[in-house]
Amino acid sequence: MSLKKFNVLFISTINPGVCFYRQYQFAKKMSELGLAHCRMFPEWDVNRMNSPDWEHHLKENINELEAQVQWADIIVCQYVNSPEGLSVVQSMRDLKPTLMEVDDDLQHVPHQSVAYDFNRPGDAQDFWATRQLMESTGVIVSTPYLAQYYAPFNQNVKCIPNCIDFSLWDKHQPIEHPLIRIGWIGGATHEGDLKLVKDALFSLLLEHQDIEVYIVSAPPPKWPEHERLTMMNQWVNIDQYPKHVKELSFDIGIIPLRDNLFNRGKSNLRGLEYSACGIPSVASWVEPFKNGLPVTTAKSFDFWITELNKLISNEEERKVKGQLAYEYVKEFYNLDKVAVMYADYLKEYI
């Protein structure tokens, strides 16, 4: 096979966080390592707060997009949500190998999620994305579960896992604070998941005077106030996010997830982030955390209480588990390595 570098065009349609993890950091790393020439459409903008909407403004964007497609040897496009978007995918696929990139189970968004209002199973988004699955040259997903789920729609499905850029996430010097800090970071779509541990957290606050709880990014409404419960409705740009997480300086991270079809398709990304900081975490016993990543798992209220109590009461165990998780992620979920795997996969289509 020729060693000549090839041209990859990444087309984004999803929010900046997803775009960063699933496209931008791969494009940047492949270029840095000399594996490929990579471009993004629309051009990456760290200050963008919303999903790109080029699909509904094709008249203004079509000339630039056409030029980028002509430049590319292969195209990786996130899921579209309109007939205009699907038409673009079909046209590109007739010219160049065009892969779909998707990191969620789009057909099983739970009704409790705020995303349900614009992404209900069977609605237009589901329809166009399913068509794209079937009509793309191949499909790239973030988990083995999604690879298996989407296999009936396309014979070429590949799992490229979420991973960590250790130049941004490498272990930090913890900021000193007097109490043991238990933390959750999430978005509004995970409010229902967070409720799983609400009673456990308040029980622990009552039992332990030496702990505090931080709920960050999308604090749920109507939780009782507590002097050692901090609700941080603070959002930062994705380029500042690793620094933001490290400055929160959690001693223990929590990752509650309800066991439903949508969450079974989620990745272990939050666990990767905590682990990259050397933070031990406790996660629900759900598909993303059943294998591989060395995090503690909890199956019920009693398990959450028991496992968190173990970490609260034993500083040495927190350090050991945090270090183990850090080493595991640096070995198996390191962007430097996964980007090479990604580039090798794309070469198969050139």
Side-chain angles (χ1 to χ4, degrees):
M1 181 179 294
S2 171
L3 297 178
K4 177 180 177 294
K5 285 195 287 188
F6 55 99
N7 299 335
V8 187
L9 176 62
F10 290 91
I11 300 178
S12 58
T13 65
I14 317 300
N15 69 70
V18 177
C19 180
F20 177 85
Y21 274 110
R22 298 304 301 166
Q23 291 197 321
Y24 175 73
Q25 70 169 3
F26 285 122
K28 184 172 181 288
K29 183 57 67 173
M30 285 187 214
S31 297
E32 288 176 352
L33 295 177
L35 302 171
H37 299 290
C38 298
R39 293 181 183 176
M40 293 195 64
F41 176 86
E43 186 175 348
W44 173 253
D45 180 1
V46 72
N47 294 311
R48 181 183 288 125
M49 299 300 293
N50 299 310
S51 300
D53 192 26
W54 57 265
E55 294 177 62
H56 298 99
H57 299 89
L58 279 178
K59 184 176 181 180
E60 298 93 326
N61 291 286
I62 193 64
N63 289 337
E64 180 185 353
L65 180 56
E66 183 178 8
Q68 300 285 13
V69 170
Q70 290 298 328
W71 167 86
D73 295 310
I74 187 168
I75 299 159
V76 181
C77 182
Q78 292 179 316
Y79 61 83
V80 299
N81 53 40
S82 67
E84 296 89 351
L86 183 64
S87 294
V88 168
V89 169
Q90 292 167 327
S91 298
M92 293 189 302
R93 178 210 57 204
D94 291 342
L95 295 171
K96 307 287 176 69
T98 300
L99 310 180
M100 179 183 183
E101 203 286 318
V102 57
D103 78 329
D104 275 323
D105 178 350
L106 301 176
Q107 299 179 332
H108 292 101
V109 178
H111 71 273
Q112 302 98 332
S113 171
V114 296
Y116 187 83
D117 290 340
F118 54 87
N119 196 7
R120 301 180 186 183
D123 72 357
Q125 169 66 86
D126 183 3
F127 177 81
W128 298 118
T130 301
R131 286 283 303 275
Q132 185 182 359
L133 282 165
M134 294 187 292
E135 299 188 33
S136 294
T137 310
V139 179
I140 295 172
V141 296
S142 53
T143 70
Y145 179 93
L146 289 177
Q148 183 177 10
Y149 180 74
Y150 286 131
F153 297 92
N154 194 298
Q155 63 180 353
N156 300 313
V157 182
K158 175 71 172 181
C159 175
I160 303 292
N162 281 319
C163 56
I164 293 294
D165 181 350
F166 277 88
S167 68
L168 301 175
W169 281 97
D170 216 346
K171 280 200 303 185
H172 66 302
Q173 184 65 35
I175 297 172
E176 294 295 329
H177 43 79
L179 302 177
I180 299 166
R181 186 171 295 176
I182 301 172
W184 176 88
I185 303 174
T189 58
H190 289 288
E191 181 183 338
D193 298 316
L194 185 57
K195 287 180 181 178
L196 283 175
V197 294
K198 177 181 177 181
D199 291 342
L201 292 175
F202 278 101
S203 176
L204 290 166
L205 284 168
L206 182 63
E207 180 181 352
H208 298 276
Q209 299 303 307
D210 61 344
I211 70 168
E212 59 185 347
V213 174
Y214 271 58
I215 304 297
V216 181
S217 292
K222 300 180 181 178
W223 273 35
E225 293 185 1
H226 191 286
E227 62 181 1
R228 286 179 283 115
L229 171 63
T230 298
M231 298 285 202
M232 292 183 64
N233 190 12
Q234 181 179 356
W235 195 262
V236 297
N237 283 357
I238 188 63
D239 63 324
Q240 295 299 311
Y241 177 66
K243 179 175 181 288
H244 175 57
V245 175
K246 289 186 281 189
E247 288 179 346
L248 290 168
S249 202
F250 295 160
D251 296 293
I252 304 167
I254 55 172
I255 317 167
L257 288 174
R258 293 184 181 276
D259 188 8
N260 55 44
L261 292 174
F262 182 75
N263 282 341
R264 291 176 192 177
K266 299 296 288 185
S267 80
N268 56 9
L269 179 57
R270 190 68 73 240
L272 299 181
E273 293 172 348
Y274 290 152
S275 299
C277 296
I279 300 169
S281 54
V282 181
S284 292
W285 178 248
V286 179
E287 187 68 31
F289 298 102
K290 285 186 175 181
N291 297 292
L293 190 64
V295 302
T296 302
T297 53
K299 298 181 180 179
S300 67
F301 174 87
D302 289 340
F303 275 91
W304 278 101
I305 294 290
T306 299
E307 298 304 331
L308 286 172
N309 266 324
K310 289 179 183 177
L311 292 173
I312 291 169
S313 62
N314 193 326
E315 180 180 2
E316 185 60 27
E317 183 171 358
R318 295 198 300 271
K319 291 180 179 179
V320 169
K321 288 195 171 184
Q323 180 65 23
L324 178 64
Y326 168 81
E327 292 173 357
Y328 187 90
V329 170
K330 196 158 190 177
E331 175 65 24
F332 296 106
Y333 291 91
N334 193 321
L335 175 63
D336 289 352
K337 297 180 179 180
V338 179
V340 174
M341 178 179 72
Y342 200 152
D344 286 343
Y345 174 64
L346 295 179
K347 285 180 185 177
E348 297 177 11
Y349 290 93
I350 305 303

